[in-house]
Amino acid sequence: MKIQTTIYVYYQKYDWDNEGTYQVYSFKASDDDTRTFVCEQQIEVEVPDNYDPTTQRIAALEAQKEKAMSDFNKTLRDINTRISKLQALEYTA
């Protein structure tokens, strides 16, 4: 299947760059001190007729789940460490 879309080409150069680079965006952005509009171009892209994003979406969700579990476990360890330190304190009045 062929799809047609518009791309927007910009030239981008930061002060610390020796040379700038051309960047392609799928949207029109405003010019600023580092990025200037060069041209707009219609392109045609060939994509598979039977493309199914399900496998990729599941993989992304699995990665998101792993990160959430890792973050939760780290937070739980930190809380348990703080509790242990508080319980180890000797109270003297």
Side-chain angles (χ1 to χ4, degrees):
M1 169 175 53
K2 294 182 180 184
I3 58 172
Q4 289 191 354
T5 189
T6 303
I7 60 168
Y8 303 91
V9 180
Y10 290 85
Y11 179 76
Q12 188 157 9
K13 183 178 181 302
Y14 294 100
D15 292 338
W16 58 84
D17 287 336
N18 291 331
E19 294 181 15
T21 58
Y22 290 96
Q23 305 288 321
V24 176
Y25 291 72
S26 62
F27 56 90
K28 181 100 174 172
S30 56
D31 287 354
D32 61 26
D33 63 324
T34 62
R35 179 184 59 229
T36 55
F37 177 73
V38 176
C39 66
E40 176 180 320
Q41 183 73 44
Q42 287 286 335
I43 64 167
E44 188 171 272
V45 180
E46 182 78 32
V47 295
D49 288 331
N50 59 348
Y51 175 69
D52 182 5
T54 305
T55 303
Q56 291 169 278
R57 294 178 70 192
I58 290 171
L61 287 168
E62 290 289 347
Q64 190 176 356
K65 181 172 80 171
E66 285 295 320
K67 183 180 180 332
M69 287 172 43
S70 175
D71 292 347
F72 171 77
N73 287 332
K74 182 190 177 311
T75 301
L76 195 56
R77 276 192 309 276
D78 292 347
I79 290 170
N80 284 335
T81 299
R82 291 171 59 193
I83 290 171
S84 294
K85 286 179 180 178
L86 287 171
Q87 290 173 335
L89 292 177
E90 236 181 75
Y91 176 75
T92 55

